[in-house]
Amino acid sequence: MKKPLLIVVVLLVVLLGSIFGIIQWQQYSMQARTAQPFPPATVAATEVVQENWVPTLRAVGSLDATNGISVAVEVSGVIKEIVFTSGERVEQGTILIRLDDAVDRAALDALRAEPQQGSAEKASYFQVRI
């Protein structure tokens, strides 16, 4: 007695599934007929021009030198000339600045005028070396 009931249930499920599928197919085909077509694809074009491109990046920040040096002079005075460029590599003994030696030259000339007071063999100007 259970076999005929099982057959009836299976046939009922197949019949309901078929009806549901037919209804869904009709709705889909109706939508496909009334639906608006997709808009055409947008295409952008331009003329190719050859250019030299240098990659750059603008940024704000701070820098710390990995190698540096503190320079101190043995004599004081007014700087007359700066002989180096900032960031330039220099070797030991390279002249970095020249001091104004007008006062020292006047003192040297005064010493030369008075031969009894000592030697006039001082340097004519001072240079700072590292």
Side-chain angles (χ1 to χ4, degrees), residues 57-64:
L57 175 66
R58 292 179 184 223
V60 177
S62 61
L63 298 173
D64 291 324

Side-chain angles (χ1 to χ4, degrees), residues 111-125:
L111 287 174
R112 283 186 180 158
E114 298 176 17
Q116 74 272 9
Q117 282 204 358
S119 77
E121 300 296 321
K122 292 187 177 179
S124 62
Y125 59 88

Side-chain angles (χ1 to χ4, degrees), residues 27 36 50 59 68 70 80 95 106 117 120 125:
Q27 287 178 351
Q36 296 291 328
Q50 183 176 355
S70 296
K80 179 179 179 180
I95 296 173
Q117 282 204 358
Y125 59 88

Side-chain angles (χ1 to χ4, degrees), residues 12-99:
L12 198 61
V13 170
V14 171
L15 181 65
L16 289 176
S18 299
I19 293 172
F20 181 74
I22 291 171
I23 292 172
Q24 289 297 320
W25 178 75
Q26 286 177 347
Q27 287 178 351
Y28 174 75
S29 32
M30 187 179 294
Q31 282 180 347
R33 280 183 265 154
T34 60
Q36 296 291 328
F38 289 112
T42 305
V43 177
T46 186
E47 186 175 329
V48 176
V49 178
Q50 183 176 355
E51 293 181 356
N52 289 334
W53 181 68
V54 180
T56 59
L57 175 66
R58 292 179 184 223
V60 177
S62 61
L63 298 173
D64 291 324
T66 55
N67 295 322
I69 186 169
S70 296
V71 178
V73 295
E74 294 178 4
V75 293
S76 61
V78 177
I79 295 175
K80 179 179 179 180
E81 180 183 7
I82 298 176
V83 187
F84 69 96
T85 306
S86 180
E88 174 183 9
R89 286 189 171 273
V90 292
E91 299 295 326
Q92 184 174 359
T94 304
I95 296 173
L96 300 177
I97 61 172
R98 289 196 171 94
L99 298 177

